[in-house]
Amino acid sequence: MSLVVYLAAGLLGLAAIVLCRRPPRAGWDPLTVSTCVSILLASLVFVCSAPLTLAAVNRLTGIPNFGAPLTYGMISAYSCSLLILLVHWRGGPRRQVRRMVLRSVAAYVALIAVIVVLFLLGDARTERLNDLDTYYANTPYLCEMILLYLIGHSAATLAMCTLCVKWSREVTGLLRAGLRLILAGSALDVAGFQLTKYTAVVARWSGHDLDVLSTQVAPPLASLAALLCSAGFALPRLLPSVLAQVRSLDDYRSLAPLWTRVRFVSTAPKPPSGWWQLPRARLHWREVSIHDALLGLAPYFDDEVRERALAAARRAGRTGHEARIAAEAAMLADAARRAAAREEPLPTPSGYRLHATEVSGTGGLVELAQALVRPPAGTPVRGGAVRTSPG
């Protein structure tokens, strides 16, 4: 059981680390902070509730079952963080948000204090690492402590379910998908963790033994519920960035033909290499290096080559923009060939500006790269020769 719990804690911790990554000198916003805190607290809840952790805490403190109020307090803190996260996610006037956050903190700090007091008043001499909830279900003070932490967690979870249902009707796209994941996780928490715990405790009150619900059913379902909630919180914030990285990788690969043709001219410094470099960073370096190479090839640009290629592309039925890109690709290929052969630049500079240098982003460079791979049939080059394939 400890292995399953630690695995869930590790996945939650990883999600928090990924979510908290930000550019240097970028500021923290309350929503990001509250999201990371909630996910980290969920991870700590699983770490604290693992039997191995409970045994270690009890041994280090010398107090039997000291890990119980620690775990219950952590669950209550996690419940509070969920409410705070929902407040920040919903937004509103700053004073109203601050007031609701302070109320939530005050309520759950008081709840944690009562849990600790009830544990001190109760008699928990026998160490129980797996079934404390049911073993002490009929013990004075400890019974109230168990019910309080469950009620506190239920209140936060039910509030989250209610708000997720309401907000999912008002939003669309990734935010709605995230809310539905949170709703699924919260519903699983209610049905898979809380109801099984309540059922096992009430069974003890009536003299029955349903401890298996508390010890075997509840923990894995709680782990899955927390993972679903964390995925719901992270999805609207991480997926756009992931998609941007995927697009950057696609553009990076699309620029390969152009980079292969002009890389010998570029004088841009090489970035630090490594597998950890994200596609966006790699794309930025390749884009800067290509622009540097195009600047170095500008003295070799031949307007006659471009004009002949432009006329040939128009005769082939290309649109105005397509003909321009094809003509620029032919002129660039000719310039790269003569620069590689160490020929002298043209005596009179062309002064022509490529479309890729007039637009922002990588779209113009990608078009130029694609034109190099698929040049129009019969495109003439300088000297009257006909190039049929990129070389």
Side-chain angles (χ1 to χ4, degrees):
M1 186 59 65
S2 293
L3 179 60
V4 174
V5 174
Y6 286 143
L7 178 60
L11 292 175
L12 289 170
L14 180 61
I17 292 172
V18 172
L19 188 62
C20 290
R21 287 193 61 178
R22 60 195 179 101
R25 298 181 296 277
W28 290 102
D29 64 276
L31 181 57
T32 299
V33 172
S34 56
T35 303
C36 292
V37 168
S38 293
I39 297 177
L40 285 174
L41 283 175
S43 178
L44 290 175
V45 165
F46 288 113
V47 171
C48 292
S49 63
L52 290 178
T53 304
L54 293 174
V57 169
N58 296 339
R59 184 173 61 255
L60 290 174
T61 59
I63 302 175
N65 298 309
F66 184 82
L70 176 64
T71 302
Y72 297 159
M74 197 66 68
I75 292 175
S76 300
Y78 170 62
S79 301
C80 180
S81 72
L82 292 179
L83 294 178
I84 294 173
L85 176 55
L86 289 173
V87 169
H88 284 301
W89 201 353
R90 185 177 185 180
R94 182 175 298 181
R95 292 183 61 182
Q96 180 182 355
V97 170
R98 180 179 176 84
R99 183 168 60 252
M100 295 180 68
V101 168
L102 291 177
R103 287 178 179 176
S104 299
V105 171
Y108 278 88
V109 165
L111 176 63
I112 294 172
V114 173
I115 287 174
V116 173
V117 171
L118 289 174
F119 175 77
L120 295 176
L121 293 175
D123 183 6
R125 299 177 186 177
T126 304
E127 183 181 59
R128 308 301 298 186
L129 301 179
N130 296 292
D131 61 348
L132 186 141
D133 290 348
T134 52
Y135 185 85
Y136 289 107
N138 293 309
T139 304
Y141 300 113
L142 297 182
C143 172
E144 288 80 1
M145 176 190 71
I146 294 166
L147 282 179
L148 272 180
Y149 100 81
L150 286 174
I151 292 172
H153 186 53
S154 297
T157 309
L158 291 175
M160 179 175 294
C161 288
T162 302
L163 291 177
C164 285
V165 170
K166 178 181 178 181
W167 294 346
S168 63
R169 298 170 182 170
E170 303 172 0
V171 298
T172 58
L174 288 178
L175 187 54
R176 173 180 287 182
L179 286 171
R180 288 178 175 175
L181 278 175
I182 296 171
L183 179 60
S186 300
L188 183 59
D189 189 297
V190 171
F193 174 75
Q194 297 169 33
L195 287 182
T196 54
K197 288 285 186 178
Y198 283 124
T199 302
V201 169
V202 172
R204 278 290 183 135
W205 293 349
S206 59
H208 296 84
D209 185 354
L210 294 179
D211 290 9
V212 66
L213 295 177
S214 178
T215 59
Q216 301 297 324
V217 177
L221 292 180
S223 302
L224 180 58
L227 290 175
L228 285 174
C229 287
S230 298
F233 286 125
L235 179 67
R237 301 177 64 80
L238 287 183
L239 189 58
S241 177
V242 172
L243 293 178
Q245 295 291 347
V246 171
R247 288 191 295 268
S248 295
L249 180 60
D250 185 57
D251 287 345
Y252 178 84
R253 291 172 175 171
S254 298
L255 290 177
L258 177 57
W259 174 237
T260 301
R261 188 66 65 91
V262 303
R263 64 186 304 170
F264 72 95
V265 186
S266 177
T267 59
K270 293 184 178 181
S273 59
W275 60 268
W276 59 86
Q277 293 291 326
L278 293 176
R280 185 176 294 179
R282 293 174 179 268
L283 176 63
H284 176 71
W285 173 82
R286 177 163 285 186
E287 182 182 0
V288 169
S289 301
I290 289 176
H291 278 294
D292 179 76
L294 294 178
L295 186 63
L297 289 174
Y300 293 91
F301 286 169
D302 191 334
D303 287 330
E304 293 183 7
V305 172
R306 179 177 54 81
E307 290 171 0
R308 287 196 293 269
L310 181 63
R314 286 175 175 171
R315 287 194 300 270
R318 299 292 184 89
T319 64
H321 180 71
E322 291 175 344
R324 177 184 177 181
I325 300 301
E328 291 178 353
M331 181 178 66
L332 177 62
D334 176 71
R337 177 185 60 78
R338 289 187 289 109
R342 300 185 181 277
E343 296 183 12
E344 291 295 326
L346 296 177
T348 304
S350 168
Y352 179 82
R353 289 193 62 187
L354 297 173
H355 171 71
T357 63
E358 295 178 340
V359 296
S360 60
T362 59
L365 292 177
V366 170
E367 286 182 320
L368 187 58
Q370 292 172 344
L372 283 171
V373 175
R374 296 184 298 272
T379 299
V381 297
R382 191 170 182 265
V386 175
R387 182 179 296 275
T388 59
S389 63

